[in-house]
Amino acid sequence: MTPDLSVVIPVYNEERGLPALFARLYPALDRLGLNYEIIFVNDGSHDHSVALLREQFSQRPEVTRVILLNGNFGQHMAIMAGFERTRGRRVVTLDADLQNPPEEIGKLLAKMDEGYDYVGSIRMRRADQWWRRSASRAMNHLRERLTSIKMTDQGCMLRAYDRHIIDAINETKEVSTFIPALAYTYAANPTEVPVAHEERAHGESKYSLYRLIRLNFDLVTGFSVVPLQWFSFTGIVISLLSGLFVIYLMLRRLIIGPEVQGVFTLFAIAFFFIGVMLFGIGLLGEYVGRIYQQVRHRPRYLIQAVLERTE
Ligand code: UDP
Ligand code: MG
């Protein structure tokens, strides 16, 4: 039997928030009056999340499935693991921390009824720290320039996908990816709706500044080679300018004689270009590293156990 809806939720150390999530999510879905399944993916939590998920599974085994990963593979890989096991005609992703109100799921599904195959969401009055909001705004702008992906709020994971998009994502065996962008590239008719956003009630954000930067590298390198092209373009401009500079110095030496003043200016210029070069090597490394990961063909994630009712 095919459920109308599969809900995929990644869980990483969310013991403090899970009870509240269960208490709101199930009634919200029951109210929609459709056949649903909820797939929780535990992303290697080391708190009591697993015990809570087991308990919830035993309470509602007919609509609950739990995938326990063997370690922490990251939010997007956890969602991928969930996607591979979804059976629903439509799939919705959601965070476990209740920042995306489960009551909004109906709104996304109603939009899909209008014929859209991918419904993203825009957080109204986003309740996060100011630096997260401004970093997001900057990254949204950058992505808009670097890729052909049109999306107002790439960071919001409350999204609904048609089956055909999920099938395409499942065939994409990427080891590092950014799901909202990947889905967008497969969508025929995407749209967005505004949704409410709440402050994280319990626990802390799982994204430090460092992890956030890593994640955004996944987004940029996964969907665009424009940074590399920019870099080679900068290289062209710099070598042209420095060529002119060499000619100038040569002529100057012939006409006026050798010079020693302005040595430090030259140092400054040299150091600037060394910086640019190091950045470029690092950028190359980001791409090469991902290629390396991809060609090794290691499993993207390991599953420890799956809790589900066998029919
Ligand atoms: N998450 C995960 N693995 C990770 C990091 C996060 O499964 O390595 C889950 C986390 O439990 C939550 C969701 O991804 O359900 C979003 O994480 P978080 O709320 O910390 O991100 P933020 O809202 O701060 O962007
Ligand atoms: Mg959150």
Side-chain angles (χ1 to χ4, degrees), residues 74-76 131-132 204-209 211-212 215:
Q75 179 185 0
H76 291 257
W131 68 271
R132 286 288 303 265
E204 294 194 326
S205 171
K206 306 300 178 285
Y207 284 99
S208 58
L209 180 60
R211 288 191 76 171
L212 219 53
L215 182 70

Side-chain angles (χ1 to χ4, degrees), residues 83 90-93 108-109 111-113 115-121 149-151 153-166 169 178-193:
F83 277 175
R90 290 169 176 175
V91 176
V92 163
T93 52
L108 302 190
L109 298 180
K111 205 77 193 165
M112 289 196 104
D113 290 336
Y116 297 100
D117 59 350
Y118 176 39
V119 184
S121 60
I149 297 166
K150 300 268 167 290
M151 211 182 277
D153 187 1
Q154 62 197 16
C156 186
M157 291 306 290
L158 178 57
R159 286 165 190 277
Y161 317 78
D162 192 82
R163 182 80 242 165
H164 82 88
I165 296 179
I166 298 297
I169 291 180
F178 195 86
I179 289 171
L182 190 60
Y184 184 93
T185 57
Y186 296 144
N189 197 9
T191 188
E192 299 179 317
V193 290

Side-chain angles (χ1 to χ4, degrees), residues 284-296:
L284 266 178
E286 292 288 341
Y287 283 95
V288 174
R290 280 168 180 74
I291 297 168
Y292 181 50
Q293 278 186 334
Q294 192 75 49
V295 297
R296 277 181 299 183

